[in-house]
């Protein structure tokens, strides 16, 4: 009332003007802001990537699409049901036999209150709440359940899943701001506050299998009682609670010297008592050199020059809740369980990850020196930064000995560092009334190093393809090494048949058995390929004893990344084009390795194109159809002896340049599948058109812009796979990045839209 009176006395304003003045004054004293968002998504009848009933990635639809045979076999005499082609389904049969329905409903609400009781003082409180609900119905007919992790192979099945996630957050701060210190020369801003949040997730899964064989996915979902119900799987997750206290001081002296100091204290329920709290200070200094008097003469060409220096610490608690104590749950439907009276019964079990009560906060220490620059009224501007980051007490899921009864354990296993430089440039090339063109460019170089390792086993294992490969000890973690180091064997061609005329070749035929030629150096490459010597078998680089040598094959983390692009306008048209690139890293082509050898489960499947009939070493004589690589006694006799068989093999393989995949029945990682992952990608192009103002104002609009964007339009790379940016393994183990196996190809996407301002 008093505020309104003070405005009215002697003002002569109208009532509307009085209200406007009053609201303006009230807004300086208290403001309330509120945002809310509701999102509902319904996806019906999805297929393709929905085959989550598969036992592992090796049986996934994407892997199956790569290796499935292009033509049907002429005959099939294999009685083994696992390998019998009658149990194999084409990718299209599996897609058509897969149904997935999803409902996603998410609510986000945030409300904030600002109170300014005194000049320069602001009290703010804010509260946020998020509620997410996912409902997923999946069903498969018999064609899509040949390798189901739930059992009941070849019979329809269904899984109904409901997941909820609730999260709330409250933050309260007090800010003091004074920009009139020392007559307005200096500016002080001080903030103190606290924040707390809590997150909780729940899930429920209902699974039924062994529906009548002829049922479609729709019939399965409409008749859930027709199947065999498995145990309901439900989980009420442990609360993830976080409490934080923080403070910050900003001081600006003469608008040239800037200082910021902060301190955070974070307490997390994910850690045990005694390790719950982490303390993370930081500080930053900046100097606007271009504002100094001695730089006045450079103002014609120097728009901005600022030197920055910072040091700080940040915490990471990204581990699953409950990792610090032993947790037991009822067995899941994919577990092996006891059977009584022909019925599977539930049992109490522990997970595959061992608890660790000594876990504590991971801490990253950052050091940075940077320069902000601008020339000719900022026609050219950008930044240059040098950094050195050290992460200690690194939180990681590590492989532990199986004798513990577990496979993994979260550990603070060591310390890593990253050193590098980042450079960014923005240039205004043309700035006319009806035409403008800008250029932007950035490049970053990074070098990581493992400073300290607190575990005995240097090998990081990630069985991303199940039992496809003989050994997954491929990524090595050791002091003074780097994250992403790939280790394996170096390929050395293939075994050939000894030729008496030239004295060249590796093997001789003794009866029906192949042996190393007399005087040949020891070569135990066959120990990695299945144990038997065959002509056309894969060879590896070996030591003086003939044992294959395991060595470093490269690193999967790029040393140099960046991008560049243009944006501009021509009349009412606007456009943007952006490229990104990566240099200096390798990628493990797991798909290539998995489709480069023969096992029983690969019968009737396809091989990669490297092994076409004109390239690969062959055992089959095209004239007789007889197998000379694994000759029988009768075959040797038919050719007139072992020497004739050997001569014929050399004759039909005169142009072979790659090993015979039938001679390799187990596979290890080798350099022929470790490829260069460098690339240049056209990330996106956008073209827009803004309707003339005089058109849109006639329909009471402010602005109308029509645009069209294309993403991932092309990629220039030497990589043989679908995408050099793929990483399918680090989700399970961050220490094994850069593996491409059964990855869905990145889509080329086109988006059109209209922006309307009222």
């Amino acid at each position: 009332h008093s505020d309104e009176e003070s405005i009215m006395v002697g003002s002569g304003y109208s009532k509307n003007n009085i209200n406007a003045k009053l609201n303006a004054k009230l807004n300086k004293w208290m403001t309330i802001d509120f945002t809310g968002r509701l999102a509902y998504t319904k996806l019906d009848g999805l297929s393709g990537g929905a085959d989550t009933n598969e036992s592992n990635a090796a049986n996934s639809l994407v892997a199956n699409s790569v290796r499935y045979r292009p033509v049907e076999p002429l005959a099939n005499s294999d009685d083994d049901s696992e390998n019998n082609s009658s149990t194999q389904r084409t990718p299209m049969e599996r897609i058509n036999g897969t149904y997935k329905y999803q409902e996603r409903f998410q609510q986000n609400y945030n409300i904030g209150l600002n109170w300014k009781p005194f000049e320069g003082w602001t009290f703010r409180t804010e509260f946020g709440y998020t509620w997410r609900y996912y409902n997923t119905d999946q069903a498969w007919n018999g064609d899509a359940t040949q390798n189901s992790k739930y059992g009941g192979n070849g019979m329809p099945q269904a899984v109904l899943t409901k997941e909820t996630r609730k999260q709330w957050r409250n933050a309260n701060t007090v800010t003091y701001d004074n920009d009139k210190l020392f007559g307005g020369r200096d500016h002080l801003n001080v903030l103190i506050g606290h924040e707390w949040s809590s997150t909780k997730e729940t899930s429920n899964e209902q699974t039924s299998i062994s529906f009548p064989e002829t049922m479609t996915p729709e019939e399965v979902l409409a008749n859930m009682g027709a199947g065999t119900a498995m145990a309901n799987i439900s989980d009420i997750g442990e609360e993830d609670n976080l409490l934080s206290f923080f403070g910050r001081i900003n001081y600006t002296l003469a608008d040239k010297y800037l200082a910021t100091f902060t301190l955070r204290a974070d307490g997390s329920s994910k850690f045990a008592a005694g390790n719950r709290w982490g303390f993370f200070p930081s500080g930053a200094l900046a100097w606007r050199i271009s504002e100094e008097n001695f730089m006045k003469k450079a103002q014609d060409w120097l728009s901005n020059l600022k030197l920055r220096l910072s040091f700080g610490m940040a915490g990471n608690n990204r581990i699953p809740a409950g990792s610090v104590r032993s947790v037991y749950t009822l067995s899941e439907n994919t577990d092996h369980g006891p059977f009584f009276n022909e019925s599977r019964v539930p049992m109490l079990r522990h997970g595959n990850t061992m608890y660790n009560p000594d876990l504590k906060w991971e801490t990253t220490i950052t050091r940075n020196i940077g320069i902000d620059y601008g020339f000719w009224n900022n026609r050219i501007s950008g930044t240059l930064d040098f950094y050195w980051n050290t992460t200690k007490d690194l939180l990681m899921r590590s492989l532990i000995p199986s004798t513990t009864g577990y496979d993994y354990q979260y550990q603070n296993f060591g310390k890593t560092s990253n050193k590098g430089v980042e450079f960014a440039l923005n240039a205004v090339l043309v700035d006319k009334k009806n035409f403008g063109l800008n250029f932007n460019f950035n490049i970053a170089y990074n070098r990581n190093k493992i400073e300290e390792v607190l575990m005995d086993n240097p090998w990081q294992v990630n069985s991303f393809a199940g039992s496809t490969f003989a050994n997954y000890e491929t990524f090595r973690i050791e002091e003074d090494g780097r994250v992403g180091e790939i280790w394996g064997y170096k390929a050395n061609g293939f075994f050939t048949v000894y030729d008496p005329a030239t004295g060249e070749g590796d093997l001789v035929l003794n009866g029906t058995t192949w042996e190393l030629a007399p005087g040949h150096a020891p070569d135990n490459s066959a120990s990695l390929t299945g144990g038997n010597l065959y002509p056309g078998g894969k060879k590896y680089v070996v030591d003086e004893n003939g044992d294959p040598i395991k060595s470093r094959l490269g690193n999967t983390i790029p040393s140099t990344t960046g991008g560049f692009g243009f944006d501009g306008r021509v009349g009412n048209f606007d456009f943007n084009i952006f490229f990104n690139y990566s240099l200096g890293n390798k990628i493990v082509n797991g798909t290539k390795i998995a489709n480069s050898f023969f096992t029983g489960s690969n019968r009737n499947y396809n091989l990669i194109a490297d092994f076409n009939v004109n390239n690969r070493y062959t055992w089959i004589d095209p004239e007789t159809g007889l197998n000379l690589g694994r000759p029988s006694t009768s075959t040797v006799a038919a050719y007139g002896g072992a020497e004739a068989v050997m001569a014929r093999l050399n004759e039909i393989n005169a142009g072979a340049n790659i090993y015979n995949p039938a001679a390799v029945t187990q596979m290890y990682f080798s350099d022929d599948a470790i490829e260069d992952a460098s690339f240049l990608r056209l990330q996106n192009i956008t073209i827009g058109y803004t309707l003339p103002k005089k058109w849109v104002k006639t329909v009471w609009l402010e602005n109308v812009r029509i645009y069209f964007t294309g993403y991932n339009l092309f990629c220039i790379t030497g990589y043989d796979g679908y995408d050099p940016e793929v990483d399918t393994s680090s989700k399970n183990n961050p220490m094994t990045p850069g593996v491409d196996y059964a990855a869905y190809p990145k889509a080329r996407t086109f988006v059109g839209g209209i922006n309307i301002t009222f």
Side-chain angles (χ1 to χ4, degrees):
H1 178 68
S2 60
D3 282 338
E4 186 169 355
E5 284 184 343
S6 66
I7 296 172
M8 292 178 65
V9 173
S11 66
Y13 288 154
S14 67
K15 184 177 180 180
N16 288 337
N17 285 336
I18 292 173
N19 288 334
K21 280 280 189 177
L22 177 61
N23 289 333
K25 192 160 187 175
L26 288 174
N27 285 338
K28 291 182 179 179
W29 177 68
M30 178 180 290
T31 59
I32 299 175
D33 52 85
F34 172 79
T35 60
R37 181 176 183 268
L38 297 176
Y40 177 76
T41 306
K42 176 178 155 181
L43 305 172
D44 195 359
L46 289 179
S47 61
D51 53 341
T52 55
N53 66 333
E54 298 297 341
S55 55
N56 57 60
N59 295 319
S60 68
L61 182 57
V62 176
N64 180 261
S65 299
V66 174
R67 69 177 182 170
Y68 198 83
R69 55 185 177 272
V71 295
E72 292 299 320
L74 297 176
N76 181 35
S77 58
D78 193 341
D79 294 329
D80 184 353
S81 61
E82 179 185 357
N83 304 325
N84 195 310
S85 61
S86 64
T87 68
Q88 300 167 5
R89 298 293 185 268
T90 69
M92 284 306 301
E93 287 174 328
R94 293 175 61 179
I95 288 175
N96 293 332
T98 299
Y99 173 84
K100 185 174 185 179
Y101 170 87
Q102 283 186 312
E103 281 184 332
R104 298 180 177 179
F105 183 41
Q106 183 163 313
Q107 306 174 63
N108 296 279
Y109 304 104
N110 293 279
I111 186 170
L113 172 66
N114 291 317
W115 178 37
K116 301 179 180 179
F118 316 108
E119 183 179 359
W121 289 87
T122 301
F123 294 82
R124 176 173 175 81
T125 182
E126 57 185 73
F127 181 82
Y129 180 77
T130 298
W131 181 80
R132 186 186 73 186
Y133 170 76
Y134 283 5
N135 175 41
T136 305
D137 296 345
Q138 297 181 90
W140 301 268
N141 69 11
D143 289 337
T145 61
Q146 298 298 321
N147 295 285
S148 173
K149 61 185 177 184
Y150 302 110
N153 293 351
M155 305 291 284
Q157 56 190 228
V159 178
L160 311 180
T161 306
K162 291 179 173 59
E163 299 174 310
T164 61
R165 185 176 189 268
K166 298 178 181 179
Q167 181 181 33
W168 62 263
R169 169 186 170 272
N170 172 238
N172 303 280
T173 60
V174 178
T175 304
Y176 173 73
D177 188 85
N178 189 340
D179 58 358
K180 300 177 181 179
L181 286 176
F182 301 105
R185 186 197 68 179
D186 297 351
H187 183 188
L188 173 67
N189 182 283
V190 180
L191 177 146
I192 59 173
H194 98 289
E195 178 182 22
W196 50 329
S197 63
S198 181
T199 303
K200 191 169 187 177
E201 298 181 352
T202 63
S203 64
N204 183 276
E205 178 183 297
Q206 302 177 50
T207 303
S208 292
I209 63 173
S210 300
F211 286 82
E213 189 172 356
T214 58
M215 272 193 168
T216 65
E218 292 79 5
E219 292 171 338
V220 166
L221 292 172
N223 300 275
M224 289 294 292
T228 300
M230 305 185 75
N232 285 347
I233 305 299
S234 61
D235 178 60
I236 299 178
E238 184 172 347
E239 287 188 353
D240 174 11
N241 300 320
L242 185 69
L243 175 63
S244 303
F245 298 91
F246 49 85
R248 183 193 67 213
I249 299 175
N250 289 332
Y251 195 92
T252 302
L253 175 62
D255 203 31
K256 292 185 291 187
Y257 313 104
L258 302 90
T260 300
F261 302 97
T262 65
L263 176 64
R264 286 187 65 94
D266 296 306
S268 174
S269 63
K270 292 182 177 180
F271 302 109
N275 291 326
R276 284 183 177 162
W277 286 94
F279 299 91
F280 311 106
S282 65
L285 302 173
W287 176 24
R288 288 197 177 106
I289 304 175
S290 55
E291 297 297 319
E292 295 287 356
N293 291 330
F294 61 80
M295 298 295 294
K296 295 293 185 182
K297 294 182 179 180
Q299 288 183 350
D300 293 339
W301 57 272
L302 183 64
S303 310
N304 178 40
L305 182 62
K306 182 167 72 172
L307 177 65
R308 294 177 281 104
L309 177 66
S310 64
F311 174 89
M313 302 171 66
N316 172 27
N317 67 336
R318 290 191 294 269
I319 57 174
S323 298
V324 297
R325 52 187 166 271
S326 184
V327 177
Y328 293 86
T329 63
L330 287 174
S331 58
E332 297 183 356
N333 290 321
T334 54
D335 296 329
H336 298 292
F339 280 77
F340 295 97
N341 298 323
E342 303 300 322
S343 297
R344 183 180 183 276
V345 298
M347 64 177 180
L348 202 63
R349 71 170 182 93
H350 59 69
N352 64 352
T353 303
M354 186 179 182
Y355 72 100
N356 183 354
D358 298 324
L359 289 175
K360 56 185 176 180
W361 282 88
E362 173 184 305
T363 303
T364 297
I365 303 171
T366 63
R367 312 162 188 87
N368 181 274
I369 297 177
I371 297 174
D372 299 339
Y373 63 87
F375 303 103
W376 299 291
N377 199 25
N378 284 324
R379 291 291 293 263
I380 298 177
S381 62
T383 60
L384 176 64
D385 285 275
F386 300 88
Y387 64 87
W388 172 24
N389 300 336
T390 302
T391 301
K392 64 178 182 177
D393 300 322
L394 195 67
L395 286 171
M396 198 66 61
R397 191 179 74 161
S398 303
L399 186 72
I400 59 177
S402 58
T403 53
T404 62
Y406 298 85
D407 297 326
Y408 305 99
Q409 183 186 49
Y410 281 93
Q411 299 176 350
N412 295 104
F413 88 92
K415 181 168 67 173
T416 62
S417 66
N418 285 273
K419 297 178 181 179
V421 57
E422 297 177 346
F423 174 75
L425 170 71
N426 299 291
V428 180
L429 302 180
V430 181
D431 188 16
K432 302 293 185 181
K433 180 178 180 180
N434 293 317
F435 176 64
L437 181 63
N438 303 323
F439 172 74
N440 59 83
F441 170 82
N442 68 82
I443 185 171
Y445 173 82
N446 180 77
R447 180 81 176 184
N448 77 75
K449 181 181 179 181
I450 300 172
E451 305 281 353
E452 184 179 314
V453 179
L454 301 178
M455 57 184 185
D456 296 329
N457 185 3
W459 299 108
Q460 291 292 303
V461 177
N462 192 334
S463 303
F464 58 85
S467 60
T468 301
F469 305 116
N471 186 283
Y472 284 91
E473 291 185 342
T474 307
F475 287 85
R476 188 175 178 89
I477 302 298
E478 57 186 349
E479 289 189 11
D480 297 326
R482 298 170 58 196
V483 177
E485 293 282 82
I486 318 167
W487 283 64
Y489 301 93
K490 293 184 178 180
N492 191 27
F494 51 85
F495 287 105
T496 57
V497 173
Y498 179 73
D499 185 349
T502 63
E504 298 178 350
D506 306 301
L507 306 180
V508 295
L509 184 61
N510 183 4
T512 59
T513 303
W514 293 99
E515 301 173 349
L516 287 173
H520 194 283
D523 194 325
N524 299 323
S525 295
S527 63
L528 301 184
T529 60
N532 296 315
L533 283 171
Y534 292 111
K538 188 173 184 178
K539 292 173 62 177
Y540 296 94
V541 174
V542 297
D543 60 19
E544 62 275 8
N545 297 319
D547 297 323
I549 302 172
K550 195 171 187 177
S551 58
R552 179 185 178 276
L553 302 180
N555 193 283
T556 60
I557 297 178
S559 59
T560 306
T561 58
F564 62 90
F566 296 89
D567 63 85
R569 52 186 172 78
V570 180
N572 284 7
F573 286 94
D574 61 88
F575 64 90
N576 175 274
I577 180 172
F578 184 75
F579 295 82
N580 67 312
Y581 61 87
S582 175
L583 302 170
N585 62 305
K586 302 290 185 179
I587 188 169
V588 180
N589 193 338
T591 302
K592 179 178 181 179
I593 307 174
N595 294 280
S596 297
F597 72 108
F598 173 83
T599 66
S601 60
N602 286 346
R603 191 180 301 277
N604 298 312
Y605 278 127
N606 197 17
L607 294 165
I608 62 173
D610 294 356
F611 294 98
N612 68 54
V613 70
N614 295 321
N615 293 340
R616 72 172 181 262
Y617 194 100
T618 183
W619 292 342
I620 307 302
D621 189 334
E623 294 183 359
T624 64
L626 295 176
N627 187 333
L628 306 185
R630 293 180 177 176
S632 63
T633 302
S634 60
T635 297
V636 174
Y639 278 80
E643 290 77 8
V645 171
M646 294 164 58
R648 181 57 177 160
L649 273 172
N650 280 334
E651 181 181 357
I652 63 178
N653 289 291
N657 56 36
I658 195 169
Y659 64 89
N660 183 349
V664 181
T665 57
Q666 68 179 21
M667 182 61 74
Y668 285 74
F669 285 70
S670 58
D671 62 342
D672 49 354
I674 311 300
E675 302 185 34
D676 185 3
S678 301
F679 69 88
L680 173 65
R681 185 190 304 276
L682 177 53
Q683 187 64 32
N684 61 268
I685 292 180
T686 298
I687 299 176
Y689 178 74
T690 302
L691 298 182
K693 296 290 185 181
K694 62 181 180 180
W695 293 5
V696 299
K697 287 186 178 297
T698 60
V699 291
W700 304 285
L701 297 177
E702 179 67 24
N703 190 70
V704 176
R705 176 177 175 267
I706 304 169
Y707 68 92
F708 182 82
T709 302
Y711 297 93
N712 187 32
L713 299 184
F714 68 80
C715 183
I716 300 174
T717 181
Y719 177 51
D720 287 339
Y722 296 124
D723 186 356
E725 286 188 284
V726 163
D727 184 0
T728 58
S729 61
S730 61
K731 180 179 179 180
N732 295 326
N733 187 346
M735 307 304 287
T736 63
V739 175
D740 177 10
Y741 181 73
Y744 201 84
K746 182 178 290 187
R748 181 177 293 116
T749 308
F750 301 95
V751 178
I754 301 176
N755 296 328
I756 301 176
T757 304
F758 295 92

